[in-house]
Amino acid sequence: MSKKIAWVTDSTAYIPEDLKNHPDLYVVPLSITFSSGTYEDGIDLSTDRLYSSIKEDQEIPKTSQPPVGKFAELFESFKGKYDAAIAVHISADLSGTLSSCRAGGEMAGFPVEVVDSKAMAIAITRLIWLGMELNEQNMDVPEIAETLRKDAYKIENYMVLGNLDQFYKGGRMSGTQYLLGNLLKIKPIIRIIDGKFELFEKVRSEKKAAKRMLELFHKAYQRNPIPRIFIMHGNVPDKANEYKEELLRTYPGIEVIISELSATVSVHSGEGTIVIAWANEE
């Protein structure tokens, strides 16, 4: 018999309709701080409001992990309702959220298996979907968590930033890379590998960057067919749909899922960002 598991994640994750309405999924928001005040991602700050505030105030806000107490309070509420929790969070190298979650579980004295997604956004969603499937197959909680930790390394993702200023001021890019990008009008392709941002390649235009990212997917597909690809964007749905149309022309049977990046992610990546991601199956 499968155990009653609470699934916990954070607001950097992509939450589709099937998970929004799931009674056992809990999303703990990260905070975004402007000089005018602090807001909770997805609760009292939408992405539309984020972008307009950045434009109007010319201010790059700061993001903060959820406090330990918030996680502890959540885990206290699980007692008597759930057997255990599995928490899947943004990479520990990008945020202290995972550490706060672990400490909150210890404070509450509730059994929590913490899983580092080694990325964010759709990478988290994939692991939650997989974990729920494994639970239905009566797999033990520690075994589910260990399977998810291994599966996290299958994701491959690339992004073209919408705003170099925000990425640099958020501490995600060196001063030299930032200066070169601005002087030469370079469009850097960034990837997350082993949980960290890495400058993967530099191209001279957004069009070339798009072509290169699709080439990378084509190479991965040739190694092993990939049934599903994810396209995430920072308030540029038309651009995301252009990527989708191009992919469907080449791979008519592939499933393409488009989603918007959360406010917390967009603080660093900027409006106009495009991310493509997929899982490399063995």
Side-chain angles (χ1 to χ4, degrees):
M1 182 178 177
S2 62
K3 287 200 170 185
K4 182 72 170 173
I5 297 176
W7 300 90
V8 179
T9 189
D10 58 72
S11 58
T12 67
Y14 162 56
I15 309 296
E17 288 303 316
D18 67 314
L19 291 181
K20 279 180 186 175
N21 301 318
H22 198 290
D24 302 320
L25 179 73
Y26 300 83
V27 181
V28 181
L30 277 74
S31 297
I32 300 174
T33 301
F34 286 87
S35 57
S36 58
T38 298
Y39 307 89
E40 291 191 319
D41 183 10
I43 295 179
D44 49 16
L45 182 69
S46 65
T47 50
D48 287 342
R49 186 176 174 188
L50 171 74
Y51 296 133
S52 63
S53 295
I54 290 174
K55 286 175 184 174
E56 291 167 8
D57 302 337
Q58 295 295 297
E59 176 190 1
I60 308 300
K62 295 180 179 178
T63 58
S64 303
Q65 68 208 47
V68 173
K70 181 164 282 191
F71 279 110
E73 184 180 349
L74 178 64
F75 294 135
E76 283 284 354
S77 74
F78 290 168
K79 291 178 178 178
K81 185 178 178 182
Y82 294 101
D83 298 306
I86 294 179
V88 186
H89 289 295
I90 180 174
S91 166
D93 287 298
L94 303 180
S95 169
T97 300
L98 187 141
S99 179
S100 284
C101 176
R102 182 180 286 115
E106 291 171 357
M107 186 181 293
F110 187 80
V112 183
E113 288 282 353
V114 180
V115 176
D116 188 339
S117 72
K118 293 297 179 180
M120 55 190 175
I122 195 62
I124 296 173
T125 317
R126 279 189 62 256
L127 295 177
I128 292 173
W129 278 334
L130 174 58
M132 289 178 172
E133 289 174 8
L134 296 175
N135 185 44
E136 289 177 1
Q137 296 169 21
N138 299 323
M139 186 179 283
D140 289 341
V141 172
E143 192 177 354
I144 292 174
E146 191 56 34
T147 301
L148 299 186
R149 292 183 189 112
K150 291 176 181 176
D151 195 84
Y153 288 94
K154 291 182 180 179
I155 199 77
E156 190 169 351
N157 56 70
Y158 300 90
M159 69 170 73
V160 178
L161 296 171
N163 191 309
L164 279 182
D165 284 349
Q166 288 176 224
F167 202 68
Y168 169 61
K169 289 176 180 177
R172 308 298 184 185
M173 173 182 283
S174 74
T176 302
Q177 292 168 348
Y178 171 69
L179 182 63
L180 286 174
N182 273 305
L183 287 177
L184 303 177
K185 301 301 179 187
I186 285 171
K187 274 289 183 184
I189 297 175
I190 307 292
R191 69 173 174 175
I192 302 178
I193 184 164
D194 195 22
K196 303 178 185 72
F197 284 116
E198 176 185 274
L199 176 59
F200 175 73
E201 206 166 283
K202 292 174 283 190
V203 292
R204 294 302 296 268
S205 70
E206 190 167 336
K207 187 175 181 180
K208 288 181 178 178
K211 181 180 179 183
R212 179 64 178 133
M213 289 204 299
L214 291 173
E215 283 176 357
L216 291 165
F217 174 73
H218 295 331
K219 286 183 179 179
Y221 192 96
Q222 287 169 358
R223 290 193 298 269
N224 198 8
I226 297 162
R228 177 191 288 167
I229 185 169
F230 304 93
I231 304 171
M232 293 156 280
H233 66 90
N235 200 32
V236 282
D238 291 346
K239 195 181 292 184
N241 275 304
E242 288 175 9
Y243 276 76
K244 178 178 180 177
E245 289 168 8
E246 178 65 27
L247 284 161
L248 290 175
R249 275 195 289 271
T250 309
Y251 306 104
I254 198 170
E255 180 184 7
V256 183
I257 296 177
I258 293 177
S259 67
E260 187 172 12
L261 291 166
S262 72
T264 307
V265 175
S266 297
V267 163
H268 300 286
S269 61
E271 189 172 12
T273 296
I274 286 284
V275 183
I276 65 170
W278 63 87
N280 292 308
E281 299 297 338
E282 294 176 1

